[in-house]
Amino acid sequence: MVGLGRMGAGLTRRLLKSGHRVVAFDRSPETIEAVAADGAEPAATLEQLRDKLEPPRTVWVMVPSGAPTQEAIDRLAELLDPGDVLIDGGNSHFRDSVARARALAAKRIAFLDVGTSGGVWGLKEGFCLMVGGPEHAFAQAEPAFRTLAPEGGHAHVGPSGAGHYVKMVHNGIEYGLLQAYAEGFEILHASDYDLDLHQVAELWRHGSVVRSWLLDLIASAYAKDPELAGFSGWVEDSGEGRWTVQEALEKDVPAPVINLSLIMRLRSRVEDSYAGRLISALRNEFGGHPVHTNEFGGHPAHRTEVPR
């Protein structure tokens, strides 16, 4: 495992709990020590990681998308041998994954793009794994996939790029779902009734047609902070929503809900909103994503500058 952040560490620990042997590398020695305490074999360098694994190796990269992922893949391409499998489990653009697969195939290194969902809950509940790439590489890595995913939670969805494509659309749908819940609860919050929104969330969890895991997390967020006072309305987007909108436009597919949910995230960075606070709380609940707190305390004040 290369990269031991929230997701990488969770993947590592779930593998270790089921008896897999994991060699772990990260730029932070403290992070390596933390997973080593749970049974991972530490590697101080990528060369050490390679040497501690017997061919054919399976190396999982779990670092931020973009330049960090490209840097890790380029370095590993120099170190790995023909027959090894290299996995990118981050949120990379599917077209980048197609190009990386082609470049690695020239070295006879198989590449799998694995869309990974589950957030900080994946360690306990399992991760949903959407796998693209050669079937023989999928077969080599499938014992790990079976361990990491709940029953029915992993699949080979197609050739190179397909895994990250499916994850991209998954996250676009997530944008729309979060926005719909947030708008509904903002209307409830603005009503003339003195509603207990935690109570409403708990009520809807039992038998309603809008019940879901996200609604469970809304109830959890309200239980911790009934007024969401610890959150600002500033909501990040990590790229997949934008890519989903771009793909919809290229394919002439109308996707107004996903499109507008992306626009609302951009709006959140200009003017604070209650809906934005709920989305921030939800993203923190399911993914452990960073929270932009209100520097003034209590309800966030309106602002015109984007936090840096």
Side-chain angles (χ1 to χ4, degrees), residues 4-15 35 119 122-123 127 148:
L4 302 171
R6 292 188 304 270
M7 294 288 281
L11 292 164
T12 297
R13 290 188 169 101
R14 189 168 173 92
L15 288 168
V35 297
L123 173 58
F127 297 88
L148 291 169

Side-chain angles (χ1 to χ4, degrees), residues 6-307:
R6 292 188 304 270
M7 294 288 281
L11 292 164
T12 297
R13 290 188 169 101
R14 189 168 173 92
L15 288 168
L16 291 169
K17 284 184 176 181
S18 294
H20 290 268
R21 176 173 174 260
V22 182
V23 179
F25 170 79
D26 192 274
R27 289 182 173 179
S28 166
E30 294 79 9
T31 306
I32 298 175
E33 291 172 6
V35 297
D38 291 324
E41 296 184 31
T45 65
L46 290 177
E47 288 83 358
Q48 282 189 14
L49 180 138
R50 175 201 59 195
D51 294 342
K52 288 188 175 188
L53 295 170
E54 295 181 5
R57 306 172 183 87
T58 300
V59 178
W60 191 308
V61 174
M62 204 68 187
V63 301
S65 61
T69 293
Q70 189 63 56
E71 180 183 345
I73 290 174
D74 288 346
R75 186 74 185 100
L76 287 164
E78 299 172 355
L79 299 174
L80 297 180
D81 296 321
D84 291 343
V85 173
L86 182 55
I87 296 171
D88 174 13
N91 287 323
S92 295
H93 196 289
F94 72 95
R95 289 194 175 91
D96 291 337
S97 297
V98 172
R100 289 163 182 161
R102 187 180 301 117
L104 289 165
K107 297 175 176 287
R108 295 170 52 205
I109 299 170
F111 179 77
L112 294 175
D113 52 286
V114 179
T116 306
S117 182
V120 295
W121 292 84
L123 173 58
K124 178 183 177 183
E125 304 292 341
F127 297 88
C128 181
L129 304 174
M130 301 148 256
V131 186
E135 290 189 6
H136 74 275
F138 172 79
Q140 178 175 319
E142 192 173 18
F145 297 152
R146 286 198 188 100
T147 292
L148 291 169
E151 185 175 357
H154 80 280
H156 181 247
V157 297
S160 296
H164 281 152
Y165 189 93
V166 172
K167 180 57 163 48
M168 174 188 75
V169 177
H170 165 283
N171 282 26
I173 293 170
E174 175 194 304
Y175 277 44
L177 291 172
L178 294 179
Q179 187 63 32
Y181 276 123
E183 290 177 11
F185 276 90
E186 183 165 24
I187 294 168
L188 294 172
H189 182 260
S191 76
D192 293 333
Y193 296 100
D194 184 17
L195 297 171
D196 181 338
L197 299 190
H198 179 225
Q199 179 192 52
V200 173
E202 288 287 357
L203 174 65
W204 285 354
R205 290 179 59 220
H206 299 89
S208 85
V209 297
V210 298
R211 65 188 184 273
S212 70
W213 184 55
L214 288 176
L215 188 59
D216 296 342
L217 297 179
I218 289 175
S220 174
Y222 278 129
K224 297 172 183 175
D225 187 351
E227 294 297 328
L228 306 181
F231 298 87
S232 78
W234 197 98
V235 184
E236 293 186 18
D237 73 283
S238 50
E240 301 90 336
R242 294 178 185 235
W243 303 337
T244 304
V245 169
Q246 291 167 356
E247 183 70 5
L249 292 172
E250 289 184 14
K251 295 293 187 287
D252 292 329
V253 175
V257 172
I258 296 174
N259 199 333
L260 287 174
S261 68
L262 171 63
I263 291 171
M264 289 302 293
R265 292 201 178 190
L266 302 181
R267 176 191 175 278
S268 79
R269 300 163 199 182
V270 177
E271 184 178 356
D272 208 351
S273 70
Y274 186 88
R277 296 210 304 274
L278 181 55
I279 295 177
S280 292
L282 271 174
R283 294 180 81 248
N284 180 255
E285 286 286 326
F286 69 69
H289 297 289
V291 172
H292 292 269
T293 57
N294 169 29
E295 62 271 35
F296 302 105
H299 294 293
H302 288 218
R303 60 175 176 270
T304 56
E305 294 185 359
V306 176

